[in-house]
Amino acid sequence: MSREAPFHCNTEEWKRRFGDLPVHAALTIGNFDGMHLGHQKILETVNEWVSSKETLNKKPEQLLATALTFYPHPAKVLRPAEAPPLLCTLPQRLAAFENAGMNAALVLKFDEQLAKVSAEDFARTYLVDTLRARGVFIGANFRFGHKQAGDVKLLEEFGRRWDFEVQVVPPVVQNGIVVSSTAVRSAVREGRMEDGVYATETTVDGKKYRSATNIGVRPTFDGQRLAIESHLFDFSENLTSGTMEVRFWKRLRDEKKFPGPEALRDQVLRDISEAHAYFAPLAQS
C-alpha cells in the first residue's frame, strides 16, 4: 500500500480519518523544538523502520511514520515563569516533519487536563486506541504521563502488553556535548553564535533559493548594529516587506573589516562563488 501524503491533525480528526481503516503508526514523541540533529536522527530511524516493515508486510495494513507532538510547550502550562523561549514556531515544526519525510503529525493540545493523564492512560489513549502503534521510537531520557512518572522501562512494558515495539535511539554527541534543545537554547542565550558569512537556503513566499548570508555589524562601514543580509541566487523579484526564513548550511568565513568598498565587493563575489560551489554537488544529487 502506498504511503499517505504528509498531514497534521488532532486526535478527533485522526480517528475520523482512519478509524475504519487498517492504518497503524510508527511514531516518535516529543516537543521537537528547533529540529536539531538529535531530532533528525530519531525521525530518520522511524522512516527507516517503516520502509523495512513495508517491504516485509504481508498484512493489508498501512504504516504511517508519525510524530506525536504538543502545543503549547508543556512548560508553558506547568511552569510558566520558567518556560523557555522557543527555537521555532508550530508551523515551522510541522514543516520540518514534512521535510524529514514523515507521513503525519498528531498535535496534542497540552493543557492542565492532559498534564494530569497518567502514563498508562496516555499510552492506552494515544498510542494504542488512537494511533494503533506498531513501533515507538524515543530517547533514553524519555518521560511521559502525570508528573513524568512513565519512563522507557514502563513504555517497554506497555509495548509487550499492547503489542508495539519500543526502540531507544542513542543521542547525537558533538564536541562531547549531547545535542538537545536545551543546549541549543543555552548557546543562543549566551551569545555563542559567531558572526560571519554562510552558505544558506532562503525561503520566500514558499519558494526556496540557495543563498549566501552575512551576519554581523558591517565593520568596513564602521557599523554598530547587527544586520543579516542574504544574497539569493536566481532571484529577481522586488520585495520590500514580508517574512523570510534562512537556513544555515555551511560557514564560509569570519566577518572582517576591509580597506574599502571595492575590496569588500571583491570578497562578496568570492563568497557567492564559494556558496555556489558548495551547493553544486547537492544540486546534482
Side-chain angles (χ1 to χ4, degrees):
M1 184 178 293
S2 63
R3 296 177 69 178
E4 188 76 15
F7 68 95
H8 65 275
C9 62
N10 58 31
T11 305
E12 292 71 24
E13 292 168 334
W14 185 286
K15 289 182 176 179
R16 284 197 300 269
R17 184 164 186 165
F18 298 118
D20 298 325
L21 298 176
V23 172
H24 297 263
L27 69 128
T28 182
I29 310 168
N31 294 304
F32 299 99
D33 186 32
M35 202 56 68
H36 54 64
L37 293 177
H39 295 146
Q40 294 172 37
K41 182 178 180 180
I42 292 180
L43 299 181
E44 180 181 345
T45 303
V46 173
N47 277 314
E48 291 174 349
W49 191 85
V50 168
S51 296
S52 68
K53 293 299 181 182
E54 285 179 337
T55 302
L56 301 173
N57 191 10
K58 305 298 183 182
K59 300 179 182 179
E61 66 179 32
Q62 183 177 15
L63 278 174
L64 295 183
T66 304
L68 191 162
T69 192
F70 307 94
Y71 185 81
H73 192 288
K76 195 86 171 178
V77 175
L78 301 175
R79 302 177 301 277
E82 304 172 21
L86 299 184
L87 299 167
C88 65
T89 64
L90 179 59
Q92 288 174 324
R93 202 187 324 169
L94 296 174
F97 291 145
E98 182 174 347
N99 290 336
M102 302 300 283
N103 298 136
L106 178 62
V107 182
L108 299 185
K109 179 182 178 182
F110 196 93
D111 52 20
E112 292 184 1
Q113 181 178 351
L114 183 60
K116 294 177 182 178
V117 174
S118 70
E120 181 172 351
D121 286 343
F122 180 89
R124 181 191 295 109
T125 300
Y126 300 107
L127 306 190
V128 180
D129 293 345
T130 301
L131 296 173
R132 293 181 288 204
R134 289 287 191 238
V136 181
F137 301 78
I138 36 79
N141 296 324
F142 175 70
R143 311 289 298 197
F144 66 106
H146 182 53
K147 294 185 177 180
Q148 297 188 320
D151 56 11
V152 172
K153 184 177 180 180
L154 183 60
L155 185 63
E156 290 173 335
E157 180 183 319
F158 293 155
R160 289 188 290 270
R161 181 191 307 178
W162 288 311
D163 192 26
F164 60 79
E165 182 178 333
V166 175
Q167 283 194 27
V168 177
V169 181
V172 173
V173 179
Q174 288 195 332
N175 300 322
I177 300 174
V178 174
V179 178
S180 68
S181 297
T182 300
V184 175
R185 292 191 198 100
S186 178
V188 173
R189 184 168 51 249
E190 295 169 10
R192 288 187 278 122
M193 301 178 298
E194 299 172 312
D195 297 346
V197 179
Y198 303 82
T200 56
E201 184 179 68
T202 301
T203 302
V204 179
D205 289 339
K207 186 175 181 180
K208 296 179 180 179
Y209 300 88
R210 305 298 194 191
S211 51
T213 299
N214 179 82
I215 300 180
V217 295
R218 307 182 73 195
T220 301
F221 303 100
D222 297 323
Q224 300 295 323
R225 297 180 61 184
L226 183 68
I228 302 176
E229 300 173 313
S230 291
H231 175 86
L232 279 57
F233 307 156
D234 303 317
F235 182 86
S236 58
E237 299 179 42
N238 183 20
L239 299 177
T240 58
S241 63
T243 301
M244 184 173 76
E245 181 177 296
V246 181
R247 292 177 178 269
F248 294 83
W249 284 61
K250 177 181 172 62
R251 181 180 174 85
L252 302 179
R253 65 172 176 84
D254 292 336
E255 184 182 49
K256 60 182 180 181
K257 185 172 183 177
F258 293 90
E262 288 298 318
L264 173 60
R265 183 184 65 83
D266 292 342
Q267 181 59 58
V268 169
L269 292 176
R270 288 193 291 271
D271 295 337
I272 293 172
S273 177
E274 187 175 350
H276 270 295
Y278 170 76
F279 284 121
L282 299 180
Q284 293 173 1
S285 63

